Amino acid sequence: MEQSLGSFPLWVIVVDYVLGVIMWTLIGRAAMNFFLSEDSNFFFMRFFVRSTNPILRLFRPITPGFLLEPLIPLYVAWFFFLFRFYVMPWLLGYSVMGMLSFPLESEIARAIQAFLTPRP
């Protein structure tokens, strides 16, 4: 069952987009951290570090000390994923929303499909 963005209240779309962007930025930082150090001068790495440091500081009290430093952004991104996958549907009254039911990722998947679908 495919849902359009219009079937969700506006606050759901806004909250999901914000949480999704934070989650993917944290994942991007972890991925970039495999290739570059955090003090790199590369523009994207500086962006990822500056934009995610406040979030990582916020989650520091619940971050286990045994985690390797490059994996901490993935650990925090996992919380955003859990909130989006379990709490958001619960707030909306759904028992299960299904795969690709996140509004942000659904729109991205539709855009990729439209780009890759041959036009007559």
Side-chain angles (χ1 to χ4, degrees):
M1 174 159 104
E2 188 162 326
Q3 293 178 324
S4 68
L5 284 180
S7 64
F8 294 110
L10 181 61
W11 71 269
V12 171
I13 304 299
V14 171
V15 168
D16 185 73
Y17 272 47
V18 169
L19 295 175
V21 167
I22 292 170
M23 181 185 81
W24 284 109
T25 305
L26 287 161
I27 293 170
R29 176 180 174 159
M32 291 286 290
N33 216 6
F34 285 118
F35 303 105
L36 298 169
S37 66
E38 288 188 4
D39 60 349
S40 172
N41 288 329
F42 187 57
F43 168 77
F44 287 115
M45 189 60 181
R46 285 188 314 198
F47 167 76
F48 285 132
V49 170
R50 286 183 190 163
S51 61
T52 58
N53 271 347
I55 297 162
L56 295 178
R57 275 193 299 275
L58 182 67
F59 279 82
R60 186 168 290 149
I62 61 170
T63 303
F66 62 82
L67 280 179
L68 298 173
E69 194 69 30
L71 296 179
I72 292 174
L74 281 179
Y75 176 77
V76 175
W78 176 69
F79 281 102
F80 284 90
F81 172 79
L82 287 178
F83 187 84
R84 293 175 70 213
F85 195 78
Y86 291 110
V87 177
M88 291 293 288
W90 177 71
L91 289 174
L92 293 170
Y94 297 118
S95 60
V96 175
M97 286 180 76
M99 191 62 175
L100 281 180
S101 61
F102 300 127
L104 175 66
E105 286 82 358
S106 295
E107 286 300 307
I108 293 170
R110 283 189 195 105
I112 291 172
Q113 182 184 15
F115 178 73
L116 295 177
T117 303
R119 294 185 181 106

